[in-house]
Amino acid sequence: MEETDVQPQETPLRFEIEQPDDYDQYLLRSRPEIVAVLRSLVQKRALVSAYFNRGSSFLLTSVLQVNMESGELVLDCGREEAINRQALLADQLILTAMVDKVKIQFTLSKLAETQNSGRAAFSAALPDKVLRLQRREYFRLSTPIAKPVKFVTTLKRPDGSALVVEASLLDISGGGVGLMASPALAALLPRGGMLTECRMTLPDEGLLVANLCVRNKFDVTTRGGSRYVRVGCEFIALPGARMSMVQRYITRVERERKARLSGMA
């Protein structure tokens, strides 16, 4: 490696691999699949960030070897001995890299000293799971603040009675929507829950009615200190005509946004 450094982080980092409830569908647990992904890091000579001390520091490294038979991988060392020692003392490291616009993350429990082609290196046991987060299939549009899109649906209470709820859309894509929900509303929307006959009026397009599945939830704190929950929902079997409506809306809003930016340039 030509450059290896350790940098302090001002705030704790959140890693997707530490959030299995939200990213379980992207976790690989099969040993052959794990080895294949790790070997892609070797083949691509990918730069890997190894975070330790609870994410407060990181070491730039690369994966040199992956041995399925011995259950071990070998990592490059850094240039500075003091930094290498810090990494060796860490009880856990989270490694993250990008390969062909796909995010790769995995956790190592402990590093050991070894040799690779006569040079100092790190070794560790192969991880028991690897997160492979594919780049978004759809372009996601943040909905305009000036023309907010309202979301309305009806939920069933445990006693069977109906509850009409409203929220604002934070974003929309051909794959689904992101809702801005209060913590109380988010508690009524469990991951994996189905939302039927959801109504969203897209400005200049019309009423979009869709069935959705709740896929993930994230707590968000604004700069002003207020809190809300982003609830990510996936369209379920959206008919072609309604998908076209979504795509027209996204294309038009993005075109208008670019025109405004060009006018201000």
Side-chain angles (χ1 to χ4, degrees), residues 172-177 195-200 202 205-212 235-250:
I172 185 169
S173 76
V177 299
L195 306 175
T196 59
E197 297 294 306
C198 303
R199 302 181 297 282
M200 295 153 277
L202 304 181
E205 289 297 335
L207 178 65
L208 173 68
V209 181
N211 296 329
L212 296 165
F235 287 131
I236 302 299
L238 190 67
R242 298 180 192 179
M243 177 65 77
S244 296
M245 178 190 295
V246 172
Q247 295 295 354
R248 285 197 308 269
Y249 171 74
I250 291 173

Side-chain angles (χ1 to χ4, degrees), residues 115-251:
Q115 293 281 319
N116 182 71
S117 300
R119 297 179 57 185
F122 297 130
S123 66
L126 290 175
D128 58 4
K129 62 180 179 292
V130 167
L131 178 136
R132 186 179 184 277
L133 187 58
Q134 180 67 48
R135 181 171 62 93
R136 285 185 178 274
E137 182 179 350
Y138 300 102
F139 172 74
R140 184 174 66 177
L141 173 79
S142 296
T143 53
I145 297 175
K147 293 183 178 180
V149 178
K150 291 297 181 181
F151 170 95
V152 181
T153 193
T154 302
L155 304 177
K156 281 191 177 180
R157 294 189 178 97
D159 63 4
S161 61
L163 174 65
V164 178
V165 297
E166 295 186 11
S168 295
L169 258 61
L170 290 167
D171 50 67
I172 185 169
S173 76
V177 299
L179 306 178
M180 181 179 183
S182 66
L185 174 56
L188 300 175
L189 304 174
R191 295 182 183 88
M194 297 295 296
L195 306 175
T196 59
E197 297 294 306
C198 303
R199 302 181 297 282
M200 295 153 277
T201 300
L202 304 181
D204 300 323
E205 289 297 335
L207 178 65
L208 173 68
V209 181
N211 296 329
L212 296 165
C213 179
V214 178
R215 291 303 187 189
N216 53 62
K217 298 194 289 188
F218 300 100
D219 293 327
V220 179
T221 302
T222 67
R223 291 182 180 179
S226 59
R227 296 179 60 246
Y228 68 87
V229 181
R230 181 192 181 278
V231 181
C233 302
E234 179 185 7
F235 287 131
I236 302 299
L238 190 67
R242 298 180 192 179
M243 177 65 77
S244 296
M245 178 190 295
V246 172
Q247 295 295 354
R248 285 197 308 269
Y249 171 74
I250 291 173
T251 300

Side-chain angles (χ1 to χ4, degrees), residues 69-83:
E69 289 70 29
S70 65
E72 181 183 78
L73 60 79
V74 177
L75 299 166
D76 195 9
C77 275
R79 295 179 301 173
E80 300 182 28
E81 187 62 23
I83 298 173

